[in-house]
C-alpha cells in the first residue's frame, strides 16, 4: 500500500513517545502489503482491525493502546491516515468522518 501522510505518524510518536516503535513497525508492514479487498485485510489482521464505512479501517496499535484510522482505496493501493491517538482519544471522535487534514468547524 502507498501510505500517504507519514508525517502524521511522526507527529503521533512525538506526542506519545512509547508509540514510536509500534507505529514504525505498522508503517513498514502495511507499506509492504497489496490488499485488493477489505476481506484480504480482515483475514490478515483478524481481531486487530475494525472495518468501517467508506473504506475506512481502524487499526489497533501497541496492544490496543493506540488507534489508527485510515481510509483505503483498494483499487489504487492507497492508504490515507485520518487519525492516530490513544484509545481514550479515539473514543471522542467519529472514526467514519475524522480527518487530520481538514479544519474543524466551530459549532454555534
Amino acid at each position: 500500500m502507498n501510505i500517504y501522510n507519514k508525517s502524521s505518524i511522526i507527529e503521533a510518536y512525538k506526542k506519545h513517545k512509547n508509540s514510536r516503535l509500534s507505529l514504525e513497525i505498522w508503517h513498514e508492514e502495511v507499506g509492504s502489503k497489496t490488499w485488493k479487498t477489505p476481506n484480504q485485510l480482515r483475514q490478515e489482521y483478524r481481531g486487530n482491525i475494525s472495518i468501517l464505512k467508506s473504506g475506512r479501517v481502524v487499526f489497533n496499535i501497541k496492544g490496543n493502546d493506540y488507534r489508527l484510522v485510515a481510509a483505503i482505496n483498494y483499487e489504487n493501493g492507497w492508504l490515507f491516515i485520518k487519525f492516530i491517538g490513544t484509545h481514550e482519544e479515539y473514543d471522542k471522535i467519529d472514526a467514519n468522518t475524522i480527518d487530520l487534514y481538514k479544519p474543524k468547524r466551530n459549532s454555534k
Side-chain angles (χ1 to χ4, degrees), residues 24-59:
E24 287 178 342
I25 290 169
W26 176 89
H27 184 268
E28 185 174 326
E29 185 177 291
V30 170
S32 71
K33 304 299 180 183
T34 55
W35 303 301
K36 295 295 182 188
T37 67
N39 283 335
Q40 289 178 336
L41 174 59
R42 184 180 287 121
Q43 287 175 344
E44 189 164 337
Y45 277 86
R46 303 192 195 275
N48 291 318
I49 61 160
S50 298
I51 306 285
L52 305 178
K53 302 176 196 173
S54 305
R56 288 197 174 212
V57 178
V58 179
F59 291 87

Side-chain angles (χ1 to χ4, degrees), residues 10-105:
I10 295 167
E11 290 173 29
Y13 66 63
K14 283 182 178 178
K15 182 178 177 184
H16 305 288
K17 304 268 188 251
N18 68 345
S19 69
R20 183 175 184 157
L21 180 60
S22 297
L23 288 170
E24 287 178 342
I25 290 169
W26 176 89
H27 184 268
E28 185 174 326
E29 185 177 291
V30 170
S32 71
K33 304 299 180 183
T34 55
W35 303 301
K36 295 295 182 188
T37 67
N39 283 335
Q40 289 178 336
L41 174 59
R42 184 180 287 121
Q43 287 175 344
E44 189 164 337
Y45 277 86
R46 303 192 195 275
N48 291 318
I49 61 160
S50 298
I51 306 285
L52 305 178
K53 302 176 196 173
S54 305
R56 288 197 174 212
V57 178
V58 179
F59 291 87
N60 297 330
I61 307 290
K62 195 176 184 287
N64 208 19
D65 287 347
Y66 299 94
R67 296 277 179 98
L68 185 151
V69 178
I72 299 178
N73 180 311
Y74 296 95
E75 185 176 314
N76 294 312
W78 299 336
L79 184 145
F80 298 91
I81 298 170
K82 299 296 186 178
F83 170 85
I84 304 171
T86 64
H87 195 115
E88 183 179 331
E89 291 167 336
Y90 171 83
D91 288 342
K92 296 176 184 175
I93 61 134
D94 180 349
N96 288 301
T97 60
I98 187 83
D99 192 334
L100 286 171
Y101 297 98
K102 287 191 179 174
K104 296 176 185 173
R105 292 182 181 175

